Amino acid sequence: MGTLTVNQNKLQKRLRRLAGEAVADFNMIEDGDKVMVCLSGGKDSYTMLDVLMHLQKVAPIKFEIVAVNMDQKQPGFPEHVLPAYLKELGVEYHIVEKDTYSVVKELVPEGKTTCSLCSRLRRGTLYTFADEIGATKMALGHHRDDIVETFFLNMFFNGTLKAMPPKLRADDGRNVVIRPLAYCNEKDIQAYSDFKAFPIIPCNLCGSQENLQRQVVKEMLQDWERKTPGRTESIFRSLQNVVPSQLADRNLFDFTSLKIDETAASRFVNVVNL
């Protein structure tokens, strides 16, 4: 890659700055951490690796990076692409082979979306491998738009107000998931991937499915963004400014015991009788 243009340089600095802010805000990476960077072969995970390698050079702490890709045995998967790319970078890496493709095809009826089951099987395998290699953090490439989309998916279809947190401890307590791109938007990541010419590997299992609810939500948000620029950022900020007393979750706020404060000063101190 030659000298960057002014716009490319600004884009690179913006992604690095936002990722650095997210890492600092949520204490994602600590001194001595071994960070397992999960690579799918898509634009998001390539960008995440690129940014983390930069942070590793400039951060005041020391941490290891280990790149891991899961070969799910999808037909036509180009097995040579990631190893060649990672060898050129000089990054320690592992390729985990697990035939989840056959499991998904066997269990999911033709025409139904496969992402949910595929994701669960992949995540479980990666959790186990992270434990095996002694990784203290597991980095995933989800960005701001993914987080906002997940928020609406959970609200529309699961009846819950939750999204993807920038940092998460797994249910078993043995894995901590981090999302360094949590503050970065997909448009910037796509532009960065394009000019860096990452060797993108498409998902042949589910990438072409048109009936994904996530795609419907993505298009809804994109339409909102076109009509009101900045709306997605505003929605994301709302996830960082939760006011439990203004919602209706009785587990988060004690509505039952709520009553007037007898010691509070009267709102009307000078009352005129008419």
Side-chain angles (χ1 to χ4, degrees), residues 198-246:
F198 294 133
I200 302 298
I201 301 174
C203 178
N204 299 322
L205 178 61
C206 58
S208 61
Q209 294 181 100
E210 298 178 354
N211 56 335
L212 295 175
Q213 292 295 351
R214 180 173 291 275
Q215 185 60 35
V216 174
V217 170
K218 180 186 288 289
E219 291 170 1
M220 177 192 76
L221 290 170
Q222 289 174 343
D223 184 53
W224 286 359
E225 192 67 28
R226 282 191 295 270
K227 293 176 180 177
T228 313
R231 179 171 288 188
T232 304
E233 176 61 28
S234 180
I235 294 169
F236 181 76
R237 286 201 309 273
S238 74
L239 299 178
Q240 299 174 285
N241 293 281
V242 179
V243 185
S245 65
Q246 305 303 302

Side-chain angles (χ1 to χ4, degrees), residues 116-150:
S116 178
L117 176 59
C118 179
S119 178
R120 289 200 304 273
L121 292 173
R122 183 173 63 250
R123 189 71 57 83
T125 301
L126 290 173
Y127 277 159
T128 301
F129 190 72
D131 201 19
E132 289 177 1
I133 65 172
T136 52
K137 303 288 171 57
M138 194 169 97
L140 302 181
H142 299 120
H143 45 68
R144 184 202 67 185
D145 299 67
D146 286 326
I147 293 172
V148 173
E149 289 163 16
T150 301

